[in-house]
């Protein structure tokens, strides 16, 4: 299933489950600096688009575009590997948690470099995701998917990045990225939460259901809390998210 098809199928819950977290938004705005015109590639519902600048959203999925809120920046259907944007047409190219869905991620990054002198990419360390307790203990099949995806280090190297910033997940993070509920495990029992996670949507449903049954049992018995009591005292956790900045 391509990224476009995937999000046309599972994207119906994204506006509910994927809400802007102001802490990540502040980091992205700082990385964009003084850029006034921005191409948001793989824009989705526009969760991390600045409201005080000129933004062109580029998104392949009709379902994701449909969920963009009233007043959002204009959106054009396009894939990252062939952007309908002139060379150096914008000040910055923004790509938030999208590169791992691209069919040819290197070609997509080349397009970011072509259209803008500044590239700001939010990606993640796939090995950190593979080691996430949900994957390790409940749905290890997700690891097979993660191993096929480019990791943050790969993306930074390809872009020749000037900086890579760790973006930890606060325990009360409002954007339902896959590991967002690292300290709130009962959230994964909610089908709406799972529908907003592409890693779960792309994994065998039988494996996911098996894992959820075991998680429900472990929460009921107290086994999860006993096994992960060290997490309960943390205010934030490094799930591998990295903000990559590259300037030509």
């Amino acid at each position: 299933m391509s990224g476009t098809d995937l999000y046309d199928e599972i994207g119906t819950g994204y506006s509910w489950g994927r809400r802007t977290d102001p802490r990540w938004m502040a980091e992205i705005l700082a990385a964009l600096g003084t850029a006034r015109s921005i191409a948001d590639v793989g824009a989705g519902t526009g969760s991390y688009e600045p409201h005080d600048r000129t933004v062109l959203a580029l998104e392949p999925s009709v379902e994701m575009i449909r969920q963009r809120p009233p007043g959002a920046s204009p959106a054009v259907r396009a894939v990252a590997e062939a952007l309908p944007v002139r060379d150096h047409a914008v000040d910055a190219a923004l790509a938030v948690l999208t590169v791992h869905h691209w069919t040819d991620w290197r070609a997509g990054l080349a397009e970011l470099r072509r259209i803008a002198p500044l590239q700001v990419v939010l990606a993640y360390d796939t090995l950190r995701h593979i080691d996430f307790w949900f994957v390790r203990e409940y749905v290890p099949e997700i690891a097979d998917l993660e191993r096929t995806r480019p990791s943050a280090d790969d993306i930074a190297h390809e872009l020749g990045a000037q900086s890579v910033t760790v973006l930890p997940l606060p325990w009360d993070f409002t954007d339902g990225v896959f590991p967002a509920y690292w300290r709130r495990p009962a959230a994964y029992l909610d089908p709406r939460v799972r529908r907003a996670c592409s890693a779960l949507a792309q994994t065998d449903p039988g494996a996911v259901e098996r894992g959820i049954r075991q998680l429900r049992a472990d929460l009921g018995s107290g086994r999860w809390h006993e096994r992960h009591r060290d997490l309960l005292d943390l205010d934030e956790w490094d799930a591998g998210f990295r903000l990559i900045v590259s300037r030509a």
Side-chain angles (χ1 to χ4, degrees), residues 153-171:
D153 285 347
D154 301 320
I155 295 166
H157 177 75
E158 186 72 15
L159 285 174
Q162 276 76 55
S163 68
V164 178
T165 302
V166 175
L167 295 187
L169 283 178
W171 76 270

Side-chain angles (χ1 to χ4, degrees), residues 11 40 44-45 72 84 131 187 190 196 219:
D40 186 12
T45 59
D131 195 44
D190 187 336
L219 289 173

Side-chain angles (χ1 to χ4, degrees), residues 12 33 35 69 83 106 124 131-132 188 200 206 208 211 230 236 246:
T12 54
L83 297 174
R106 290 184 174 87
Y124 63 89
D131 195 44
F132 178 36
Y188 292 107
L200 292 173
V208 174
D230 57 317
E236 60 182 28
S246 178

